[in-house]
Amino acid sequence: MKRIKVMFFIYQMGGGGAARTLLNIVNNIDRERFLPVLVTLNYNGSYETNLKEDVKFIKLNTKRLRSAILPLAKVIRKESPDIVFSTIPNYNTIAILATLLSFTRAKNIVREAAYLGGDFKTNLKLLVYGMFYKLTSQVIALSDGVKENIVKRYKVKPNKITVIYNPVDLENISRNINDGYIPEKHRLIFESPGKVIVTAGRLVKDKDHHTLLEAFAKARKQVNIKLVLLGEGELQEELKLKAKELQIIDQVYFVGFQLNPYIYFQKADLFVLSSIREGFGHVLAEALATGTPVISTRCEPGAGEVLNYGEFGRMCEVKDTDEMASLIIELLNLDENSREALITKGLQRADQFNAKLIVKQYEKVFNQTLDQTKNRQARGADEG
């Protein structure tokens, strides 16, 4: 049986959530039925070493997105994929234009992970994205909230949108925990007295680490704790200054991007996400999979869906430092039975995002897209 060739396009296989999702799909897609090809711009991404060896990996000879349209179109012509799959609005647009200019029969499927919009300029931009999305065969939204936003702001019809949650590679997480280790320079954080809170994400405005630092400072008055921040970003120096102002700099550790964050999650006593908005909250599902209790803000729309609005982890209002501090104190003071019950529920929830299950949903969409095309062609031939 001829395998379906799927070309995955993203700017780079870097440390972001979109790249991690693509990595999980590419590595777990059924090789007996699908042939994956990965295309990026000319960057070296930290996840490249995690790609399975049988994945054909092509880098375009450009680092500029606008310059990628024609080179990508040439690659599409040469590789003749059945489907071109992309994620992130700007890159989706490039993939759609490149597919049109390739003059092939390849079908576009785009993934939308962001919960964008609000101001006039952004809403106008989303309408433009929506015009391109209407040219695709299918739009995949990573949560019900993201789907509602695509319908509302991009003006894409609901029947063109399929909701598929992010895949979490549980086997990879387990392997990283079993085979991984905390680097020696960070080991003392976990071995010295006091409980450890960990968070992970880019150090940018949307992640709202300011609120987390303030909540940590308040909780520290009642509990002996340390805070580990995994990730890099433009606000790092500003956040360090904030920690100094709050007089907690000696208990806050900026450890940067880590290829194996899961060992940090697993060794910590608590994971806290302080985001203002999250399309899904992938890192929450990963934290649950490591057996660590979680606290999250009610960042729309994804966190509530991941935690089922508080069933699988505690939730507080966005920017509410008092409520976050109170929950930190509560969870760190849980008795052993209550803590184990919370961990067990979290592990059960993480199983529902297992990459092997989620990727099958992607495979179904890929198959349906091609089946619909064949059916239309058959009807056209009959009518002719």
Side-chain angles (χ1 to χ4, degrees), residues 153-250:
R153 301 192 192 278
Y154 298 59
K155 304 303 180 186
V156 176
K157 292 181 178 178
N159 60 4
K160 193 168 188 144
I161 307 168
T162 302
V163 175
I164 303 180
Y165 289 139
N166 273 354
V168 178
D169 195 332
L170 299 182
E171 289 183 5
N172 181 56
I173 290 174
S174 179
R175 190 165 50 248
N176 272 276
I177 289 172
N178 293 332
D179 301 339
Y181 58 90
I182 300 285
E184 190 173 346
K185 60 183 178 180
H186 300 151
R187 214 167 290 165
L188 192 60
I189 302 171
F190 296 86
E191 293 175 352
S192 59
K195 296 187 176 182
V196 179
I197 298 170
V198 67
T199 190
R202 291 173 300 124
L203 305 180
V204 295
K205 184 179 178 181
D206 268 1
K207 302 301 180 182
D208 193 20
H209 292 94
H210 284 82
T211 292
L212 177 56
L213 290 174
E214 290 171 4
F216 173 80
K218 291 181 178 181
R220 213 183 134 263
K221 294 174 182 177
Q222 297 187 42
V223 190
N224 181 14
I225 46 177
K226 294 161 278 188
L227 175 62
V228 176
L229 289 89
L230 291 139
E232 299 170 341
E234 61 203 43
L235 297 184
Q236 181 164 315
E237 293 307 313
E238 182 179 315
L239 292 169
K240 285 183 177 179
L241 283 174
K242 178 76 173 180
K244 285 180 182 177
E245 290 172 10
L246 293 168
Q247 298 181 356
I248 55 172
I249 190 64
D250 292 337

Side-chain angles (χ1 to χ4, degrees), residues 11 49 79 103 115 127 317 340 351 383:
Y11 62 109
T49 55
E79 293 295 325
F103 301 105
Y115 188 72
L127 285 173
E317 293 301 324
E340 285 303 316
D351 281 340
E383 291 169 2

Side-chain angles (χ1 to χ4, degrees), residues 139-153:
V139 178
I140 292 176
L142 88 166
S143 68
D144 290 317
V146 169
K147 177 179 178 176
E148 290 171 8
N149 198 53
I150 296 171
V151 173
K152 177 182 177 182
R153 301 192 192 278

Side-chain angles (χ1 to χ4, degrees), residues 334-352:
L334 283 177
D335 61 71
E336 195 60 32
N337 288 340
S338 298
R339 179 178 170 82
E340 285 303 316
L342 194 58
I343 289 171
T344 299
K345 288 188 75 172
L347 291 170
Q348 291 170 350
R349 182 57 167 170
D351 281 340
Q352 296 172 9

